Amino acid sequence: MKRLALTIVLCIPLVAQAQSQLALDTSSTQGAIVITGTTASNGDHLLLLRTSAGMRLWRAEADGTPLWARELGGPGTDQMHLLADNEGGVVLVRILPYEVVINEIDFLLIDSLRTYCQIARIDQDGGIAWQYVVSNAYGFATPEFLSTYQIDAMVGVGTDGVFLVVHDKASSNSSQLSVVKLGMDGELAWARSFQFPGPVPHWVATKLVGDNAGGFYIRGCWYWGAVDVIGHVSSDGTLNWLKQVNYISGDMAQEESVQAAVMADGSLMNVGRMLVPGHDYLATYRMDLQGSIVDADFYTHPPGYGPTIFGLGQRTDGTVLISMDSLVVKVADDGGLLDATVMNSHVEGDQRNTFHPVRMNVRPEGAVFSGVLSNVHVDLGLTRYWPAIRTIEPGSSACHVSAIDLEHVVVPTELYEVEEVGSFVEQSAHVTMLESAITSSGGVLLPTLGLCALMIPASLDDLAGAFPDDLLNTVAQQGEPFRFATPQARQISALDAAGRLVIAPRILPAGAAQLATDGWSPGLYLLRISNTDGSSQRACRVVVAP
């Protein structure tokens, strides 16, 4: 069985800053890759990481104060989901591939093709409250199916349970939609299965969203991507409807609607990118519980941003936050545009500090991003990738962000065509709850860094070859100071070769003509010097010799 290792971090609280801007210091480990992240119902941050040692789960308070880390053990795969429940915990789901099932679980029945999903609820203290492997049988396997077997598996958390949907596709012959609900105690509430007789177009299920009434919406798209597929399942597992949505006004080069979230009134908002001749839009539309579109809006899509939507959600004040790459947009409940902000992860021409979001959760304090900071130090000749968390509220101040102007276009709902997706037949569901083997143990404490201080707000031209005129020595023996020709007030900071702050930005007062290196280890450093207000920044490489 594969072992999954975990590291917790010791965070440095951000003083007087409600919006967390954190980077996890993994320099003393073998690095970490962010798989996903989420925000708990009480505002705590959680990151799921993968390192050479295995999987790592980390939890901290909203201000960055560490709570716990857990080293998890059990079969793992890249198809992983981490979702917050309504009780402060999280639900971890692993879609187990065929090879893992055969090699590590040993209960695959060759004459009955099945899918396997490992589900565990991790409580607020990091303990495993319950865990199961949910096994679902595909009832009409054929030789063609065995050669083209594909699975879309999704998980969602509703008001009173956990939903699992498995969409199995067998070429053009048929497809099956299996729906399972587990209560918050982990017990099986019900299981339903629906078959769509072929030939049917291939559609891919992409999102599962609770409807705030015990049921949920399922959404996807046809393989060619221009048509959305949306369905609604009620609290007892009944598949009420499954419809396709198509924008029919004029020529359309591309449509990608890849994210959805339920609104306070139970409607489903869908958001994506719409390309029409001469225009590039961020497009949204809402469907009610009956599957009718009730409103639609376009927002001008700024150049330079890819089509991937990282997040969407509505806050208790009615505002909706939409994120796409580094763009965060705030709209009113009626679709009116309120604010838009772009994260300036680097200045023009300087690619050393780029924040790459992988997940966004909507919170009262703003859009909370889990992602990776690519921290490339050209001057030091190294690159580091820091797991990171950013909180952005459009229209408010934060480090390395700026406002951006967008335009809003109200779209007539009749420009969207909504049709039923063929017929479906309910059949017997064959779901088995099996024992799981996830283990949880404590992790090792490591520090974090303030993301704002780690990111260097200077261009390469400013730093290349720069040398402070009054710095007298760039090499100092360990314990000996760096000396300045003039004893004037200045702001200084220093990074080591791993990109860690040795000296956070601080003022060297007037009269001080040297910078002590007590406590610095021998090695290469990047010393930054500027005026007391941070302007006229200069930087150079310095060495502390043993």
Side-chain angles (χ1 to χ4, degrees), residues 258-338:
V258 295
Q259 187 60 278
V262 70
M263 302 291 104
D265 61 0
S267 63
L268 184 75
M269 175 179 277
N270 296 268
V271 62
R273 186 182 185 187
M274 181 78 72
L275 297 177
V276 296
H279 298 281
D280 192 348
Y281 292 113
L282 184 65
T284 68
Y285 65 87
R286 292 198 201 187
M287 294 188 77
D288 61 19
L289 285 168
Q290 289 71 46
S292 300
I293 294 184
V294 293
D295 64 55
D297 298 274
F298 286 177
Y299 308 93
T300 52
H301 183 277
Y305 295 86
T308 304
I309 302 295
F310 290 105
L312 168 70
Q314 185 177 39
R315 296 188 284 193
T316 54
D317 64 358
T319 58
V320 177
L321 297 182
I322 306 169
S323 69
M324 177 166 55
D325 294 336
S326 297
L327 176 68
V328 188
V329 180
K330 179 167 65 174
V331 302
D333 181 68
D334 60 0
L337 180 62
L338 298 177

Side-chain angles (χ1 to χ4, degrees), residues 107-116 135-139 141 146 430:
F107 45 64
L108 180 68
L109 301 177
I110 301 302
D111 60 347
S112 178
L113 190 61
R114 309 179 71 91
T115 60
Y116 293 87
S135 173
N136 178 71
Y138 197 100
L146 294 173
H430 301 281

Side-chain angles (χ1 to χ4, degrees), residues 77-147:
T77 170
D78 287 340
Q79 297 185 61
M80 303 186 73
H81 306 267
L82 188 66
L83 297 176
D85 62 26
N86 296 326
E87 300 175 0
V90 292
V91 176
L92 174 68
V93 177
R94 295 168 173 160
I95 311 302
L96 301 181
Y98 181 82
E99 295 80 5
V100 171
V101 175
I102 289 180
N103 298 330
E104 301 186 10
I105 298 182
D106 270 343
F107 45 64
L108 180 68
L109 301 177
I110 301 302
D111 60 347
S112 178
L113 190 61
R114 309 179 71 91
T115 60
Y116 293 87
C117 298
Q118 192 174 34
I119 303 179
R121 183 181 181 274
I122 301 175
D123 61 27
Q124 204 163 337
D125 297 324
I128 297 178
W130 51 261
Q131 58 174 311
Y132 295 100
V133 171
V134 180
S135 173
N136 178 71
Y138 197 100
F140 45 94
T142 64
E144 181 186 16
F145 174 81
L146 294 173
S147 65

